[in-house]
């Protein structure tokens, strides 16, 4: 007999990066001794990096196995029909001590054809930014492949990229095919399709300890660019308290912003799992049988079978995600 499903917490999968720093361990208490901790994968079924449950009766089981066992009860019947045993989202926190490479991601069609993978449309919510920190998203002028390649060849790519100075709460929606990079000093939450396919087009000419540059993917990246995307990547959203305020809604995920200063009764009306990322404060997630607390920098997954629950908090800010 299958165990009854309940809100699931997972062991973070920690990734050292050449550009990583110390904020994930200092601000979110991620268990690492590294000074180059770049990413905390909160919920993942990427092969080789599958999330493991750390609470309740399903402790030590992994998300991939649970999906295959519980199917629609875990992710929703419509999602199971659409995705099968492929969990559709990858949830991360990212700390950029240095600039990330300038990059883009293929869409579903190209990713399936080349990598047998989902494409990668994503969004960012800035949790903290040092003074002067920026994000690169899109171009600062109308662009085509010929102009882009000329700047790439002449190493003047940064002249045509759009740099935005950012602060806490700033939110960006990055469709597959849009050029982007996280700038030094930015700590953010990332919600994305389940994909680890990145086309790196420029890496600031940096080298590793042995003098090697990281691989670039310009030969295949050019086909992935969508030069005709609109300049609509900045997300405006309302911050009315104790409500789910819409941020991003696209074919791959919906994300809402919730700011709590009192307890909130919730009902899952979507045929989907719900994910809560705590981006500030602390919240207690209460169901009929369970109570779980998540603090800033932590994440919880509510299976689709969990319909009624409470979010108890006096000070939490949450991202609410479903498909």
């Amino acid at each position: 007999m299958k165990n009854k499903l309940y809100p699931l917490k997972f062991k973070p999968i920690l990734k050292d990066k050449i550009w990583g720093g110390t904020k994930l361990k200092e601000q979110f208490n991620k268990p690492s001794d590294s000074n180059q901790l770049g990413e905390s994968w909160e919920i993942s079924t990427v092969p080789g990096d599958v999330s493991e449950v750390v609470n309740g009766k399903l402790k030590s089981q992994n998300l991939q196995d649970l999906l295959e066992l519980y199917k629609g009860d875990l992710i929703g019947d419509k999602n199971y029909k659409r995705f099968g045993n492929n969990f559709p989202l990858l949830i991360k926190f990212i700390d950029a001590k240095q600039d990330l490479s300038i990059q883009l991601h293929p869409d579903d069609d190209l990713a399936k054809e080349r990598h047998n993978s989902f494409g990668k449309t994503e969004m960012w919510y800035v949790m903290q930014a040092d003074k002067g920190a920026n994000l690169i998203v899109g171009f600062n002028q109308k662009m085509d492949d010929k102009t882009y390649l000329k700047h790439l060849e002449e190493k003047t790519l940064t002249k045509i990229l759009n740099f935005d100075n950012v602060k806490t709460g700033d939110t960006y929606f990055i469709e597959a095919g849009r050029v982007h990079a996280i700038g030094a000093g930015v700590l953010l939450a990332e919600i994305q399709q389940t994909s680890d396919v990145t086309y790196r087009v420029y890496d600031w000419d940096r080298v590793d300890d042995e003098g090697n540059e990281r691989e670039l993917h310009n030969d295949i990246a050019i086909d992935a660019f969508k030069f005709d995307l609109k300049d609509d990547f900045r997300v405006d959203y309302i911050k009315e308290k104790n409500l789910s305020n819409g941020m991003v809604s696209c074919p791959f995920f919906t994300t809402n912003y919730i700011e709590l200063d009192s307890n909130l009764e919730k009902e899952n009306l979507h045929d989907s799992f719900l994910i809560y990322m705590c981006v500030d404060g602390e919240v207690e997630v209460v169901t009929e049988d369970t109570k779980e607390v998540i603090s800033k920098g932590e994440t919880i997954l509510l299976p689709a079978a969990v319909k009624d629950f409470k979010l108890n908090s006096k000070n939490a800010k949450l991202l609410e995600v479903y498909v």
Side-chain angles (χ1 to χ4, degrees):
M1 181 179 161
K2 290 190 279 192
N3 285 310
K4 185 177 178 183
L5 283 168
Y6 57 90
L8 302 169
K9 294 175 76 173
F10 298 96
K11 181 181 180 180
I13 299 166
L14 304 178
K15 302 273 186 179
D16 282 5
K17 300 287 183 179
I18 192 171
W19 41 260
T22 58
K23 289 178 183 176
L24 292 173
K25 61 180 182 178
E26 290 170 356
Q27 296 189 31
F28 300 166
N29 299 311
K30 300 300 177 185
S32 172
D33 296 324
S34 172
N35 291 321
Q36 287 190 313
L37 181 58
E39 298 184 350
S40 176
W41 290 19
E42 297 289 298
I43 299 179
S44 168
T45 53
V46 173
D49 287 302
V50 180
S51 295
E52 179 186 308
V53 178
V54 294
N55 67 319
K57 291 181 179 176
L58 298 172
K59 185 175 180 178
S60 300
Q61 300 215 37
N62 77 56
L63 181 56
Q64 186 62 53
D65 291 344
L66 293 180
L67 174 52
E68 291 170 19
L69 177 63
Y70 287 99
K71 302 179 169 58
D73 285 347
L74 181 65
I75 65 170
D77 291 334
K78 73 170 170 54
N79 285 335
Y80 193 76
K81 194 173 178 182
R82 178 180 172 190
F83 300 110
N85 290 324
N86 298 300
F87 192 79
L89 297 182
L90 173 57
I91 304 295
K92 303 176 182 176
F93 294 112
I94 297 176
D95 170 28
K97 186 178 181 181
Q98 297 179 31
D99 295 323
L100 271 68
S101 62
I102 295 167
Q103 58 189 242
L104 73 157
H105 309 292
D107 64 15
D108 276 359
D109 292 341
L110 200 56
K112 184 166 179 51
E113 177 191 326
R114 288 181 175 171
H115 312 285
N116 194 29
S117 167
F118 290 131
K120 186 172 168 184
T121 285
E122 61 191 325
M123 68 167 282
W124 294 333
Y125 173 90
V126 177
M127 295 178 67
Q128 185 268 330
D130 296 349
K131 189 174 180 181
N134 59 53
L135 297 174
I136 293 172
V137 186
F139 296 102
N140 61 19
Q141 57 193 263
K142 199 167 180 181
M143 193 49 52
D144 56 55
D145 55 353
K146 190 176 174 185
T147 308
Y148 166 78
L149 288 168
K150 182 173 182 288
H151 281 279
L152 184 68
E153 190 180 331
E154 295 176 358
K155 289 190 177 285
T156 55
L157 201 53
T158 55
K159 287 185 178 178
I160 58 172
L161 295 171
N162 172 65
F163 289 75
D164 273 9
N165 197 250
V166 292
K167 63 186 184 308
T168 301
D170 286 349
T171 302
Y172 287 76
F173 175 60
I174 299 154
E175 293 177 76
R178 193 189 295 282
V179 68
H180 61 276
I182 303 171
V186 178
L187 176 67
L188 56 74
E190 180 175 274
I191 296 148
Q192 59 158 96
Q193 291 177 268
T194 293
S195 169
D196 201 26
V197 179
T198 293
Y199 295 164
R200 193 182 298 127
V201 300
Y202 181 58
D203 197 32
W204 311 101
D205 302 316
R206 66 183 152 203
V207 294
D208 64 18
D209 293 340
E210 295 169 358
N212 301 311
E213 293 185 355
R214 289 200 295 171
E215 182 185 2
L216 300 179
H217 310 101
N218 286 302
D219 52 340
I220 56 173
I222 193 65
D223 296 335
F225 271 100
K226 293 184 180 172
F227 291 111
D228 58 346
L229 287 174
K230 285 188 245 171
D231 179 10
D232 58 355
F233 41 76
R234 297 176 194 86
V235 177
D236 292 321
Y237 59 100
I238 296 165
K239 298 181 180 179
E240 195 169 338
K241 291 189 176 176
N242 308 312
L243 284 176
S244 293
N245 299 282
M247 299 176 91
V248 169
S249 186
C250 71
F252 311 108
F253 54 83
T254 294
T255 302
N256 301 320
Y257 175 84
I258 302 177
E259 185 169 344
L260 295 170
D261 62 8
S262 65
N263 298 344
L264 184 64
E265 292 197 10
K266 293 280 288 180
E267 184 181 0
N268 183 359
L269 299 172
H270 315 285
D271 185 13
S272 173
F273 59 90
L274 290 172
I275 290 170
Y276 289 99
M277 302 182 79
C278 187
V279 294
D280 203 12
E282 181 178 280
V283 63
E284 183 182 51
V285 182
V286 182
T287 68
E288 187 181 1
D289 306 310
T290 64
K291 289 182 182 179
E292 290 291 349
V293 173
I294 57 168
S295 302
K296 183 178 181 179
E298 293 187 319
T299 304
I300 197 165
L301 184 149
L302 277 66
V306 176
K307 292 301 181 190
D308 299 293
F309 59 98
K310 291 179 186 173
L311 299 174
N312 294 341
S313 179
K314 297 285 190 287
N315 68 344
K317 295 177 182 175
L318 306 170
L319 302 183
E320 175 183 68
V321 186
Y322 56 90
V323 174

